[in-house]
Amino acid sequence: MIWCIRHSFIQDICSRYADHTSWSSDVIQRKAYAETKWPGFSDEVSDVNQASKSTLFIEQALQNLGIEQSYMDKEEEIAITCLQNEQSSSMFCSTITTDHFSIDRYPFKNLREAVDVLFLHGASDMVIAKQAILLYYLFDRHWSRPDSEWRYLVDDFAATFGITNRTLLECLVFCLLDDYSSEALEEACSHLPKISSKETHPKIAQVLLERQKYDMALLVLKCTGHGSFSATENFKKDDISSLSEAVTVVRVRIECRLLTEAFMYHRSYCSKVKEQHSADMTHAEDALKNSWVYHVEMMVTEFCAICIKRNLVDKMIDLPWDSEEEKHLHKSLFDSAHEMPMKPNGSLLVVYYLRVNILILIFCI
């Protein structure tokens, strides 16, 4: 709060937006743009698709703070009412929707409201995350204006609270990647080589993939530890997030026309999942989605989907698929041939069947 007072709550620094309404409209457009980009997994009702549902970085960060729960805690709300500015939000929602007129959402109306929402509510042990969100807010408010007007503000914030230059760049990149303009995307890409590491947010590669920055997405993946063909070191206990990230790795490599590398990563991931899960073939939905069979199905289906979309089926069928993978490969090609009979996928499916049967005959002889 002392820092805010020292800078007069940045009331004297011009925003890049004409008013709060125009800023809110822009944020809603960002959300709409994110939702119209690359679709989730082919299984639209899967938990994985819910996990990879398009959210902005700022949404995800705010949701992690548990702010809504704090507002619903009546005892806590009474205790902090005397500290909160009367013009600040009486209720705040982390999720961004197209409803302008209900509960307050990001962007904050002003710096005072940002401080009240972030530091009087939510988890008290997440001060660093709250500082990062405040930095995001400052970047979002000013970044397209001349640096001479506002950059000193961010630098002073960093110096006051001991924030590193790397963290500053990360917050700026998150802000730029949430923005749907090509200028913001280009600037984000110029900073990514400086900050990409094993700690880089996994969603960055996904956003770059959605925005068709395939080479940069591949660079980020390599910096985060996905540069090798092995998925072992990146396998997590949270199977859904692991699967989502694995599909992103495969998609990026296919977009870069690295089908062999994509296949090797796919095989490594599926092998690791198989080691950690029993082949539970029960029809119970929850049990199936926790089995390695489900992971294999999702990986192969997504592999096929992007190869079909990019006309790489002829190269895809040359890869050494095993019997479990072939079932899903056949289904994807058959469904594609049925939906698009004028495309060559049906012919390629026949070629694939003939090739497999010939190999079977050779081995039988």
Side-chain angles (χ1 to χ4, degrees):
M1 188 63 73
I2 295 175
W3 182 88
C4 295
I5 294 172
R6 187 165 76 236
H7 291 281
S8 304
F9 288 91
I10 64 173
Q11 293 175 350
D12 300 328
I13 302 177
C14 291
S15 169
R16 66 188 179 113
Y17 297 98
D19 50 38
H20 181 263
T21 301
S22 62
W23 191 352
S24 296
S25 297
D26 188 73
V27 170
I28 289 172
Q29 288 180 28
R30 296 178 206 171
K31 175 71 171 182
Y33 183 83
E35 290 178 342
T36 58
K37 297 306 291 179
W38 193 290
F41 286 62
S42 298
D43 180 8
E44 295 182 357
V45 298
S46 73
D47 293 336
V48 183
N49 200 36
Q50 290 298 317
S52 61
K53 186 178 180 181
S54 294
T55 56
L56 300 177
F57 284 104
I58 187 62
E59 276 186 288
Q60 207 169 61
L62 287 168
Q63 288 165 4
N64 290 338
L65 297 182
I67 290 175
E68 286 94 338
Q69 184 61 39
S70 173
Y71 274 99
M72 289 186 287
D73 188 330
K74 297 301 181 182
E75 292 184 6
E76 182 178 341
E77 186 66 19
I78 293 172
I80 65 175
T81 298
C82 60
L83 300 175
Q84 182 169 296
N85 186 282
E86 60 183 17
Q87 296 181 351
S88 294
S89 302
S90 58
M91 181 61 73
F92 187 85
C93 180
S94 302
T95 304
I96 296 170
T97 68
T98 56
D99 184 356
H100 288 266
F101 306 106
S102 61
I103 300 171
D104 288 328
R105 296 176 171 85
Y106 183 86
F108 309 109
K109 295 188 186 74
N110 49 54
L111 182 59
R112 177 57 193 267
E113 181 182 72
V115 171
D116 285 349
V117 170
L118 293 174
F119 295 97
L120 295 181
H121 299 274
S124 60
D125 59 345
M126 299 186 71
V127 175
I128 294 177
K130 293 179 179 184
Q131 289 174 345
I133 292 172
L134 196 57
L135 274 173
Y136 178 108
Y137 169 81
L138 294 175
F139 281 124
D140 195 10
R141 188 178 188 269
H142 305 113
W143 80 266
S144 62
R145 295 189 64 83
D147 283 359
S148 59
E149 294 183 8
W150 63 275
R151 188 71 200 202
Y152 73 91
L153 185 74
V154 172
D155 292 338
D156 185 64
F157 186 90
T160 301
F161 298 104
I163 296 171
T164 64
N165 187 57
R166 176 190 175 82
T167 300
L168 282 179
L169 284 178
E170 285 178 339
C171 294
L172 175 58
V173 166
F174 291 147
C175 177
L176 294 171
L177 289 179
D178 275 347
D179 195 306
Y180 54 84
S181 68
S182 57
E183 295 82 5
L185 178 61
E186 292 302 324
E187 183 170 344
C189 289
S190 71
H191 295 303
L192 279 170
K194 307 171 192 173
I195 64 171
S196 296
S197 68
K198 286 186 176 294
E199 288 73 41
T200 298
H201 198 298
K203 185 177 169 64
I204 288 180
Q206 180 185 345
V207 172
L208 292 170
L209 173 65
E210 293 167 353
R211 304 288 293 276
Q212 300 180 10
K213 288 290 185 178
Y214 308 128
D215 291 338
M216 183 56 66
L218 184 61
L219 173 65
V220 170
L221 287 174
K222 289 180 177 179
C223 292
T224 57
H226 292 89
S228 67
F229 302 141
S230 173
T232 302
E233 61 185 271
N234 304 104
F235 191 83
K236 303 174 183 176
K237 292 181 180 179
D238 180 357
D239 295 339
I240 296 301
S241 63
S242 294
L243 178 54
S244 177
E245 291 172 27
V247 168
T248 296
V249 174
V250 169
R251 283 175 168 175
V252 168
R253 282 190 158 87
I254 295 175
E255 289 288 5
C256 293
R257 298 301 191 265
L258 301 173
L259 261 70
T260 302
E261 291 187 14
F263 179 80
M264 292 173 69
Y265 188 92
H266 150 82
R267 180 60 60 79
S268 173
Y269 174 84
C270 291
S271 297
K272 187 63 179 178
V273 173
K274 189 173 181 179
E275 287 176 14
Q276 298 197 7
H277 295 266
S278 61
D280 185 2
M281 297 302 291
T282 179
H283 293 290
E285 183 178 2
D286 290 340
L288 180 58
K289 289 184 177 180
N290 285 326
S291 73
W292 66 269
V293 176
Y294 176 73
H295 286 251
V296 172
E297 177 185 359
M298 293 303 300
M299 288 289 284
V300 175
T301 301
E302 292 303 314
F303 201 113
C304 292
I306 188 171
C307 285
I308 290 170
K309 183 177 291 187
R310 299 297 180 238
N311 296 319
L312 296 170
V313 177
D314 56 333
K315 294 180 175 60
M316 179 187 72
I317 62 176
D318 285 335
L319 296 170
W321 303 98
D322 63 27
S323 57
E324 181 64 36
E325 294 164 337
E326 282 178 356
K327 293 189 297 184
H328 309 300
L329 183 72
H330 293 170
K331 183 179 185 303
S332 294
L333 288 174
F334 182 82
D335 290 345
S336 174
H338 184 264
E339 293 172 6
M340 299 178 289
M342 302 305 293
K343 295 283 185 177
N345 297 331
S347 300
L348 290 169
L349 177 60
V350 173
V351 170
Y352 186 77
Y353 271 124
L354 290 173
R355 184 181 300 172
V356 170
N357 288 328
I358 290 172
L359 288 173
I360 292 174
L361 287 172
I362 291 173
F363 281 115
C364 289
I365 295 173

